[in-house]
């Protein structure tokens, strides 16, 4: 199972998740605020659910922030799959960019 868990109160996050699901029909989307998503995350070992973080569950693996975004894009076809190639960048750099974007995401 592949699942994007996102902040449903963020219009950008909602659009990205719905768009992702339209590109790859096997991706399920859930709001981070739902009981079902919190239950799934707890079962996967996530103790603290951050509302400013996107989670991507790929079978038993839980990815967060930039790694989650890269894995989502890796499921797409060209040209969108190209974004996933940037996962080689250091996690500190990509997560910094992710957190900066997340801080201002309501403006997008």
């Amino acid at each position: 199972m592949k699942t994007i868990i996102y902040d449903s109160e963020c219009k950008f996050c909602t659009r990205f998740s719905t768009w992702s699901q339209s590109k790859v029909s096997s991706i399920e989307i859930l709001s981070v605020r739902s009981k079902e998503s919190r239950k799934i995350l707890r079962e996967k070992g996530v103790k603290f659910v951050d509302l400013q973080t996107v989670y991507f569950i790929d079978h038993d693996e839980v990815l967060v922030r930039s790694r989650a975004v890269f894995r989502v894009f890796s499921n797409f076809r060209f040209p969108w799959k190209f974004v996933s190639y940037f996962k080689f960048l250091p996690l500190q750099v990509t997560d910094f960019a992710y957190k900066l974007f997340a801080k201002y995401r309501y403006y997008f």
Side-chain angles (χ1 to χ4, degrees):
M1 172 181 20
K2 296 180 181 187
T3 308
I4 298 173
I5 299 178
Y6 68 100
D7 179 7
S8 59
E9 291 187 8
C10 167
K11 290 179 184 177
F12 179 85
C13 304
T14 301
R15 286 185 184 154
F16 174 74
S17 297
T18 338
W19 178 78
S20 298
Q21 189 178 42
S22 75
K23 296 288 182 197
V24 181
S25 60
S26 62
I27 291 178
E28 180 182 3
I29 57 175
L30 292 171
S31 169
V32 74
R33 299 168 193 278
S34 73
K35 289 181 181 181
E36 183 181 0
S37 67
R38 290 175 186 258
K39 179 184 175 206
I40 290 170
L41 289 171
R42 267 190 243 114
E43 288 172 356
K44 302 290 183 186
V46 177
K47 297 189 184 335
F48 174 75
V49 178
D50 185 357
L51 297 179
Q52 292 198 13
T53 298
V54 65
Y55 297 89
F56 185 65
I57 300 172
D58 192 352
H59 302 293
D60 287 333
E61 188 177 11
V62 178
L63 297 121
V64 295
R65 297 190 256 321
S66 63
R67 293 297 179 226
V69 172
F70 290 139
R71 182 68 64 90
V72 170
F73 275 100
S74 74
N75 288 277
F76 297 160
R77 299 176 91 152
F78 185 80
W80 297 109
K81 188 177 190 97
F82 183 71
V83 174
S84 70
Y85 298 154
F86 289 97
K87 67 183 175 196
F88 75 89
L89 294 170
L91 185 61
Q92 295 165 323
V93 172
T94 58
D95 273 356
F96 174 79
Y98 177 90
K99 288 175 185 178
L100 186 63
F101 184 85
K103 184 177 180 179
Y104 297 105
R105 72 187 186 277
Y106 291 109
Y107 297 111
F108 293 103

